[in-house]
Amino acid sequence: MNMAERLERTRERVAAATVRSGRPEGSVRIIGASKTMAPDVLAEAVRLGLSDLGENRIQEAIPKIDALAREGLQPTWHFIGHLQTNKAKVAAERFAIIHSVDTLKLAEELNARSSGKLKVLLEVNIADEPSKSGFTLTNPELPFSDTLLKVRSLPNLDVLGLMTVAPHSEDDSIVRRSFQTLAGLARVYGLTELSMGMTEDFETAIEEGATMVRIGRAIFGERNG
Ligand SMILES: *Cc1c(COP(=O)(O)O)cnc(C)c1O
């Protein structure tokens, strides 16, 4: 398959899952997770109509954003990786949405460094996996409700919703349950955006209410290394 075919196939699968979830087709945003992919690959995807791209690392992303801009391509850029606080300013300047706010310190830094309202999501480490960043739901010292209250009080941030990377598991019910937990949390707090679902699990995520899916390999093909 070439990229046009992979993108088309992905769109069909997203559309079918969206309809299965009882929502109108087109209501789930597909974000191309483009880490390690070269600028010309990204440019091709944007020309094929993929209008949202997600990058994981600032150093890698900025030259790619600039390269596409030189070709007159300005997709909506999402930051989806772990963000160091010393990169908060450039992230706030160059990205439309930061999906991966994973500490209070980072939220405060983004608030201090952004000039207008910066759209953010809070990353949640649903299953308390040591390898993952994100707020946990089990820290008695910092209940998630307190975290959210604090982040929502920061005047330059617009907290749209929650993001998670599901546990890697062959067992679909474990993956599904983690998406249900995130969706339940968003509902309790009146948050509308749910960034969840990747190549292996985006259909499950959409069935459980994802509003944004971050899809890499299904669109761009396997990554090298
Ligand atoms: C790489 C990545 C994705 C996409 O992963 P695929 O398995 O290639 O679809 C999604 N979200 C984050 C945070 C990622 O780092």
Side-chain angles (χ1 to χ4, degrees):
M1 266 199 275
N2 61 29
M3 187 158 57
E5 290 162 342
R6 284 193 302 263
L7 182 58
E8 184 52 32
R9 177 82 192 104
T10 302
R11 284 188 171 130
E12 287 166 5
R13 290 171 60 194
V14 166
T18 305
V19 171
R20 277 202 301 283
S21 77
R23 288 175 291 164
E25 211 180 301
S27 57
V28 174
R29 184 146 35 152
I30 299 175
I31 298 165
S34 50
K35 60 175 175 260
T36 79
M37 297 295 156
D40 59 318
V41 176
L42 276 59
E44 186 192 349
V46 174
R47 291 198 177 98
L48 288 166
L50 187 65
S51 53
D52 292 87
L53 291 175
E55 282 283 330
N56 290 63
R57 289 197 187 84
I58 292 293
Q59 296 97 311
E60 179 186 341
I62 300 304
K64 289 157 87 168
I65 295 174
D66 289 340
L68 265 66
R70 280 195 296 275
E71 298 194 41
L73 300 173
Q74 295 189 316
T76 299
W77 291 99
H78 301 250
F79 193 82
I80 64 174
H82 175 64
L83 181 60
Q84 293 165 273
T85 48
N86 64 355
K87 305 268 166 39
K89 185 169 189 289
V90 59
E93 285 166 357
R94 304 303 298 272
F95 288 84
I97 307 185
I98 313 289
H99 289 231
S100 42
V101 174
D102 54 8
T103 61
L104 253 161
K105 187 165 180 281
L106 176 60
E108 285 162 356
E109 195 62 21
L110 286 167
N111 179 65
R113 300 293 179 169
S114 59
S115 39
K117 275 270 185 197
L118 178 66
K119 294 174 177 164
V120 300
L121 308 177
L122 299 192
E123 180 171 359
V124 181
N125 184 353
I126 294 279
D128 259 335
E129 292 170 279
S131 62
K132 285 193 179 136
S133 30
F135 295 100
T136 75
L137 304 175
T138 54
N139 182 354
E141 249 116 76
L142 188 60
F144 186 71
S145 54
D146 289 12
T147 301
L148 189 61
L149 206 64
K150 286 193 178 127
V151 179
R152 275 180 153 169
S153 75
L154 299 170
N156 297 330
L157 300 189
D158 189 4
V159 184
L160 300 181
L162 305 177
M163 178 270 216
T164 200
V165 176
H168 186 73
S169 173
E170 301 291 299
D171 183 351
D172 181 64
S173 70
I174 291 176
V175 174
R176 189 176 293 277
R177 230 177 303 127
S178 68
F179 292 147
Q180 285 169 347
T181 302
L182 197 73
L185 210 55
R187 209 174 306 118
V188 165
Y189 295 110
L191 295 164
T192 52
E193 297 289 344
L194 277 174
S195 169
M196 56 187 198
M198 314 178 11
T199 291
E200 300 296 338
D201 54 22
F202 69 84
E203 284 155 312
T204 305
I206 293 169
E207 287 165 11
E208 298 304 335
T211 60
M212 298 189 264
V213 285
R214 311 174 309 269
I215 303 179
R217 289 166 299 141
I219 294 172
F220 299 107
E222 291 298 321
R223 290 181 285 274
N224 297 316

